[in-house]
Amino acid sequence: GENVEQHPSTLSVQEGDSAVIKCTYSDSASNYFPWYKQELGKRPQLIIDIRSNVGEKKDQRIAVTLNKTAKHFSLHITETQPEDSAVYFCAASISRAGGGNKLTFGTGTQLKVEL
Amino acid sequence: GAVVSQHPSWVICKSGTSVKIECRSLDFQATTMFWYRQFPKQSLMLMATSNEGSKATYEQGVEKDKFLINHASLTLSTLTVTSAHPEDSSFYICSARGWGRALNTEAFFGQGTRLTVV
C-alpha cells in the first residue's frame, strides 16, 4: 500500500519568514495530494491540494509543488503569521471518477510561528 | 465546502460498555465514508472504509468485531466501539467523499469525537 513520509516533525520559524514542509510517497499511481491544517482538538482543514497533472499550485501565501518523478511534494508558506501555527499533514491518494479512494496521511509537522 | 457533522463531539464511558458515533453528510450524498483514529500528537490512521449499502473494508490490525461500521444510507455512517477499554481512548474522526463534490477527490471531515474510556 501507499506510504507517505513527512519532514520535519517540528518546525519553528520567525513571523514573516517562510516555512517548507516536505513529503514523499511510495505509490506511483497516486495522483491526488492534499495538505491539511489541524488545530488542537479540531478537524483537519484542507488548505491546498494538487493533482498529478500539475507541477505547482499557489493560493495567496500558500503554494504546493509536486515532482512526480521523484515522488515528492512540498508545502510552502510565505510571510508566516502566528495564526499559521498548527499541525500540518500531507496526504496522498489514487483518485478515480466514481471511486472514493482513501487518503494516506503523513506523520504531521508541528509548525510554530514565533513573534 | 461540504458539511460533515459528527456526534457526539466527546464521550466518556465505562470500560466494557459500547459507544456509537454518528457521521452525517448534510448537503451531499456520501458514497464513501472513512473512519480514522488519532492518538495524541500522532497522525490520522485509517481504520476502515465504508461504501453505502456494503460491508466496510477494514485496515490491517483493526478488529472488525470491535469497531462496527454501518453505512446504511448515503448521508449516515456509524461507528460503534464495542466493549470499550481504556486503550480505545482516542480521537475518532470521519470523512466523506461523494458525488458532485470536487470530482470525488476532496474529503470532508467531521468535527471528531474524543472518546475517553474509564
Side-chain angles (χ1 to χ4, degrees), chain A residues 68-83:
Chain A
K68 286 192 297 182
T69 303
K71 289 190 283 189
H72 66 68
F73 55 113
S74 300
L75 176 72
H76 303 252
I77 305 174
T78 59
E79 300 172 29
T80 53
Q81 302 167 1
E83 50 266 37

Side-chain angles (χ1 to χ4, degrees), chain A residues 6-104:
Chain A
Q6 183 172 345
H7 299 281
S9 57
T10 60
L11 179 59
S12 185
V13 299
Q14 293 293 314
E15 182 181 9
D17 288 349
S18 296
V20 180
I21 302 171
K22 299 182 179 182
C23 288
T24 60
Y25 61 99
S26 61
D27 191 341
S28 56
S30 289
N31 59 3
Y32 176 64
F33 308 93
W35 285 89
Y36 291 88
K37 175 183 180 182
Q38 187 181 30
E39 297 178 351
L40 188 63
K42 296 189 176 181
R43 77 183 90 191
Q45 297 277 2
L46 179 70
I47 56 171
I48 196 167
D49 57 11
I50 191 168
R51 292 175 175 77
S52 59
N53 59 348
V54 176
E56 184 174 357
K57 184 176 178 181
K58 189 174 181 180
D59 183 4
Q60 299 183 338
R61 297 187 296 110
I62 296 173
V64 57
T65 59
L66 171 66
N67 183 325
K68 286 192 297 182
T69 303
K71 289 190 283 189
H72 66 68
F73 55 113
S74 300
L75 176 72
H76 303 252
I77 305 174
T78 59
E79 300 172 29
T80 53
Q81 302 167 1
E83 50 266 37
D84 293 330
S85 297
V87 179
Y88 290 81
F89 292 99
C90 62
S93 79
I94 302 169
S95 190
R96 291 182 282 263
N101 292 301
K102 63 183 181 181
L103 289 169
T104 301

Side-chain angles (χ1 to χ4, degrees), chain A residues 32 36 38 41-44 46 49 51 89 93-103 105-108, chain B residues 4 32 34 36 38 42-44 46 49 59 91 93 97 99 102-107 109-112 114:
Chain A
Y32 176 64
Y36 291 88
Q38 187 181 30
K42 296 189 176 181
R43 77 183 90 191
L46 179 70
D49 57 11
R51 292 175 175 77
F89 292 99
S93 79
I94 302 169
S95 190
R96 291 182 282 263
N101 292 301
K102 63 183 181 181
L103 289 169
F105 284 86
T107 48
Chain B
V4 175
T32 306
F34 306 89
Y36 294 87
Q38 186 177 33
Q42 293 189 22
S43 188
L44 288 83
L46 182 67
T49 303
E59 295 298 301
F91 189 59
I93 190 163
R97 282 173 156 171
W99 295 108
L103 302 175
N104 295 319
T105 51
E106 185 174 350
F109 286 88
Q111 304 98 311
R114 173 73 59 192

